[in-house]
Amino acid sequence: MKSICEALRDARETDLADKLSGALSTIEDNTSSEKSSHTFLPNNAGASLNVPAFISFITILEKYASAKNHRLSIIHDKTKAYERGYAELYRLYSQPDRFEFPLTDGSSLLMGFSHLKNICFKESKESPWIQSADVLISGLNRFLKAVYKDEFVNPELLELGKYVSPAIFDNIFKRGDSVCSNEIRKKIRDVIQETNMYR
């Protein structure tokens, strides 16, 4: 983690480097429960902090597919370290009898999928879907970085920024999730709402 902080400072990302270095003493405590909760997954995939995000993603996608009566498949980019773990996690959530477990933040975990029944892993060069996702994520990264730094957001980035709105704007039907502070969430909302696109 220290080398990451040094690399961030070299890239003039001093604010993020300071925040990460300030959190070093508590990162292990904060992540230990996540790491230990999925020790049964192959290749120690539970050590990846992407696991909770993956669970949230497939839950939201299944709820959306059910509401729209769509049949959907997931195409995930190949991740040599955690691919088997993610496939097993998907199997464990998709195959049981359907039930929903409410969480304290008002969201819920869903198990037993009726509309999201397939996941496969492909190299980016093999799949235009993954290539498109890579381009979109790159654009969203630029958008969020500009918002975070209070920099000018050009119209093209602002157009891409609308794709994060399901995770930022409260809605009756949850179509996204976000992992950021309320302060950053408000900054993103303010930038998007200035265009009057979501009022």
Side-chain angles (χ1 to χ4, degrees):
M1 185 60 75
K2 290 181 180 178
S3 60
I4 292 175
C5 293
E6 290 172 6
L8 285 169
R9 288 195 176 91
D10 290 342
R12 298 181 182 175
E13 297 287 351
T14 54
D15 184 54
L16 183 55
D18 290 344
K19 287 179 178 176
L20 278 178
S21 62
L24 283 177
S25 61
T26 58
I27 284 177
E28 188 60 37
D29 289 339
N30 290 340
T31 60
S32 59
S33 61
E34 294 290 350
K35 288 181 178 180
S36 63
S37 63
H38 296 296
T39 53
F40 57 89
L41 294 176
N43 291 348
N44 196 30
S48 167
L49 294 179
N50 288 341
V51 165
F54 180 75
I55 293 171
S56 176
F57 173 70
I58 60 177
T59 297
I60 290 170
L61 199 53
E62 168 63 20
K63 289 181 180 179
Y64 175 80
S66 296
K68 299 294 185 179
N69 197 28
H70 292 324
R71 299 284 297 181
L72 300 179
S73 298
I74 297 175
I75 302 175
H76 197 290
D77 61 325
K78 279 186 173 290
T79 53
K80 185 177 269 188
Y82 299 129
E83 183 177 322
R84 286 179 53 228
Y86 288 172
E88 175 64 6
L89 196 60
Y90 176 81
R91 184 190 70 79
L92 291 170
Y93 272 79
S94 65
Q95 290 188 356
D97 292 337
R98 194 175 184 90
F99 75 96
E100 196 164 350
F101 183 79
L103 301 176
T104 56
D105 66 353
S107 62
S108 62
L109 288 179
L110 180 65
M111 299 187 79
F113 296 166
S114 58
H115 290 74
L116 187 63
K117 279 294 189 179
N118 182 48
I119 184 171
C120 64
F121 297 83
K122 293 187 176 182
E123 297 282 0
S124 178
K125 63 184 179 183
E126 299 174 340
S127 171
W129 292 108
I130 294 177
Q131 294 168 24
S132 299
D134 288 342
V135 172
L136 176 60
I137 290 302
S138 176
L140 289 179
N141 179 58
R142 288 186 61 189
F143 167 76
L144 294 170
K145 189 173 180 180
V147 171
Y148 178 76
K149 291 185 164 188
D150 294 315
E151 295 175 350
F152 173 72
V153 178
N154 65 44
E156 292 79 12
L157 279 183
L158 200 51
E159 188 65 20
L160 284 173
K162 70 182 180 183
Y163 287 98
V164 302
S165 62
I168 300 299
F169 290 86
D170 295 328
N171 204 321
I172 296 173
F173 185 76
K174 188 178 177 69
R175 293 184 293 125
D177 204 353
S178 60
V179 183
C180 58
S181 68
N182 288 332
E183 175 190 359
I184 299 302
R185 198 173 286 113
K186 181 180 184 305
K187 288 176 77 168
I188 296 169
R189 274 198 304 264
D190 289 348
V191 169
I192 293 176
Q193 285 179 324
E194 282 176 7
T195 67
N196 295 318
M197 288 192 299
Y198 296 98
R199 288 182 176 174

